[in-house]
Amino acid sequence: MLMLMLMKVTTTPSAILALGALVSPANAASLRITVEAPSNVGLAPALLSFHDGSVDFFDTGSAASAGLELLAEVGDTSLLQGSLAAGSDNVTIANGGPFFPGNSNTVTFDISDTNTLLSFAAMILPSNDWFIGNNNAIDISSIITGGLGATNTFDFGRVYDAGTEAEDFMYSPGNGIIGITTPATPGDGTATTDVISLVDQADPFGSFANTSAGFDSTIFDFNAAGVGNTILGRITITNVPEPSSIALVSLAGLGLIGRRKRS
Ligand SMILES: [Ca+2]
Ligand SMILES: [Ca+2]
Ligand SMILES: [Ca+2]
């Protein structure tokens, strides 16, 4: 349909230039982003930041920021998102709440095409202060420069302990996954002042307090395929037409066709 419209206006060079501007708005890219929780752990709403190097969610071995603490303990991304550098394009992707194991959600989001780096974090459920994310930003420039249809998938397997609470299922907003139906308020667990560290032990949930009856922690193994290789979160990003551009091109095309019929 789009090709047909463009072919129909080949006799009007000025119109082609106008359409070209509409098809490729300067300095913007529209991305279709899917976040999945492909394993047997859940994810709280995920925060993605597209930036130019001015954003860094965390450093392993350093204390978590207040924003990362809230993300990791409660699944609330608002404080971290609000703290990010001006000029970054930031989006929280939820699924009507947590991403329960096996679920995904997709959004379409416009970014500046100079924001070629991605930082990501999402709380791991049913923990009370663990998260997945990338310590160092990921280069997504090939998706932007590749144009429409360019796509890539990023897998996340490294789990980090924010170091801000003692491990306790009672304070996890996702502990319904393991059968706890009367949780305490997330974020109100016993505070700790540890640095951010990689969770790389076997049976990672084995030492949590307030395990529910019949819960078998050994069904969880973040590192079954080697540390970081068990896929706990997956993000697929595809360069797609901007919805506003599609509408404008369609309107412009129809208008041009109409004029040609009248002439
Ligand atoms: Ca970092
Ligand atoms: Ca902890
Ligand atoms: Ca807390």
Side-chain angles (χ1 to χ4, degrees), residues 11-99:
T11 55
T12 53
S14 62
I16 294 170
L17 290 173
L19 274 174
L22 291 170
V23 171
S24 303
N27 306 318
S30 191
L31 304 179
R32 185 176 65 234
I33 305 166
T34 296
V35 177
E36 304 171 66
S39 80
N40 58 359
V41 295
L43 302 176
L47 176 60
L48 285 78
S49 178
F50 298 89
H51 57 91
D52 60 2
S54 55
V55 165
D56 189 3
F57 284 180
F58 70 98
D59 291 315
T60 310
S62 296
S65 67
L68 186 68
E69 177 177 357
L70 191 66
L71 182 151
E73 291 186 2
V74 184
D76 181 344
T77 62
S78 61
L79 186 61
L80 183 57
Q81 183 166 344
S83 74
L84 300 177
S88 56
D89 293 310
N90 309 306
V91 59
T92 290
I93 300 178
N95 189 32
F99 295 83

Side-chain angles (χ1 to χ4, degrees), residues 29-36 48-50 91 93 106-109 111 115-120 138-144 147-156 234-240:
S30 191
L31 304 179
R32 185 176 65 234
I33 305 166
T34 296
V35 177
E36 304 171 66
L48 285 78
S49 178
F50 298 89
V91 59
I93 300 178
T106 300
V107 303
T108 299
F109 184 63
I111 68 165
N115 285 337
T116 58
L117 296 172
L118 168 64
S119 292
F120 157 75
I138 296 168
D139 184 353
I140 62 147
S141 57
S142 65
I143 300 173
I144 298 172
L148 297 183
T151 188
N152 208 342
T153 295
F154 306 97
D155 289 335
F156 298 86
R234 169 171 283 166
I235 298 176
T236 303
I237 301 176
T238 305
N239 189 325
V240 297

